[in-house]
Amino acid sequence: APPAPIESSFQLLAYQAALHPDADCLGWRPLLTPGYVAPNPGAPHDESRPFLWWSYATVQELAVKMGRGLLAKFGLAKGDTVGMYARNCPWWAILSLACSSQGIVVVPIYDTLGPNIVQYVCNHAQVKVVVTTADHAQKVAAALPSCTSVKGIVLIEYNGSVEPSDTSKETIGSAFSNI
């Protein structure tokens, strides 16, 4: 049993990382690359391809760096909100745990809810930072003049491999290292 009550997703991660640091924690199948002929042509993932994994220790390390970086770079405090505007990917999970590690609230922004959803969610939830991908960046930029609480944008990119893409390495490296 844990030594103290677990009150957040990050606390659960930290507990499991202490018990099983090298065990598989966060897994995904790589995205299909252009020109690849999948056995099931309509599927976004080839289910015959193996999962790629990050260990509990790696997920915890990434979450702590990102969480501390959000506080340091944007001056966020416990209870502040961060909007996540991206498709599901490993970085979505890391951001959620990062925010949990610092008492920050993650607010999902779903583009299926209409063209003004970024502005609506940012203003309604008083979002301070929007984390997004290149394919959503223009929508976020267009909404910013009407989003008075947003202090900044973090651009992430997911290329389907174990490592973040070059864009994410640069963004995460500059925003969340040296902490």
Side-chain angles (χ1 to χ4, degrees):
I6 292 176
E7 299 177 351
S8 71
S9 58
F10 182 78
Q11 288 176 351
L12 179 59
L13 171 68
Y15 174 69
Q16 291 300 320
L19 293 176
H20 314 286
D22 298 323
D24 292 341
C25 175
L26 180 60
W28 65 95
R29 285 198 172 97
L31 297 174
L32 299 179
T33 55
Y36 177 81
V37 179
N40 183 2
H45 298 277
D46 178 354
E47 293 183 10
S48 68
R49 296 171 84 174
F51 274 84
L52 302 176
W53 291 94
W54 277 329
S55 69
Y56 279 95
T58 298
V59 170
Q60 182 180 21
E61 178 185 356
L62 290 169
V64 168
K65 282 183 179 178
M66 186 179 269
R68 288 179 180 165
L70 287 168
L71 268 60
K73 182 144 182 89
F74 299 105
L76 299 183
K78 186 175 183 176
D80 281 343
T81 53
V82 170
M84 180 61 166
Y85 190 30
R87 64 187 179 278
N88 286 342
C89 69
W91 289 112
W92 212 119
I94 297 296
L95 176 70
S96 178
L97 291 163
C99 289
S100 175
S101 78
Q102 305 301 317
I104 299 168
V105 178
V106 176
V107 179
I109 302 173
Y110 299 106
D111 58 359
T112 56
L113 297 178
N116 298 325
I117 196 62
V118 174
Q119 178 183 343
Y120 175 79
V121 170
C122 287
N123 289 330
H124 182 73
Q126 292 296 295
V127 168
K128 303 280 193 277
V129 175
V130 177
V131 179
T132 191
T133 52
D135 57 329
H136 289 23
Q138 287 185 347
K139 291 177 188 175
V140 173
L144 280 183
S146 302
C147 301
T148 57
S149 62
V150 176
K151 297 178 179 182
I153 299 171
V154 175
L155 183 65
I156 59 168
E157 200 56 53
Y158 170 58
N159 65 4
S161 72
V162 175
E163 293 297 319
S165 69
D166 290 339
T167 303
S168 290
K169 283 182 186 174
E170 183 178 316
T171 303
I172 291 167
S174 63
F176 304 129
S177 63
N178 305 322
I179 295 169

